[in-house]
Amino acid sequence: MIRRHFPLLRLTPEVAGKLQHDHNRALAKLAQLEREHTELQHQIRAQLGTETLWKLRTDARNAVLLADLKMEAA
């Protein structure tokens, strides 16, 4: 069994407070983006249909994977 010891991170109260504040802001932004994404999916599904939503998801996923592949190859 391999045991890994992670060093203890020691922060000043000011830095810890700023880190907590930044973390809370990032979580709030992520929650807002998730809500907007869900509503966008509902709108696309209602206006264009489920098949179109599936195709858009697949095309977007493939575009991101292609961009990652190009960056990796460069």
Side-chain angles (χ1 to χ4, degrees):
M1 178 195 305
I2 298 175
R3 293 185 186 225
R4 294 187 179 129
H5 297 284
F6 297 102
L8 182 64
L9 181 62
R10 296 181 191 266
L11 301 174
T12 64
E14 294 81 17
V15 173
K18 182 176 180 340
L19 184 62
Q20 182 67 40
H21 176 72
D22 292 347
H23 181 258
N24 290 341
R25 282 184 40 205
L27 287 179
K29 181 68 174 172
L30 181 60
Q32 179 65 27
L33 287 172
E34 287 175 348
R35 290 180 64 217
E36 290 173 4
H37 177 72
T38 301
E39 182 57 31
L40 180 61
Q41 285 183 350
H42 288 293
Q43 293 289 328
I44 292 172
R45 187 178 290 123
Q47 294 180 16
L48 301 175
T50 304
E51 291 80 18
T52 303
L53 178 61
W54 291 340
K55 182 165 179 6
L56 286 171
R57 282 183 189 163
T58 302
D59 292 347
R61 188 177 301 118
N62 288 340
V64 168
L65 290 173
L66 180 62
D68 290 347
L69 185 63
K70 286 180 180 178
M71 282 180 34
E72 192 176 306

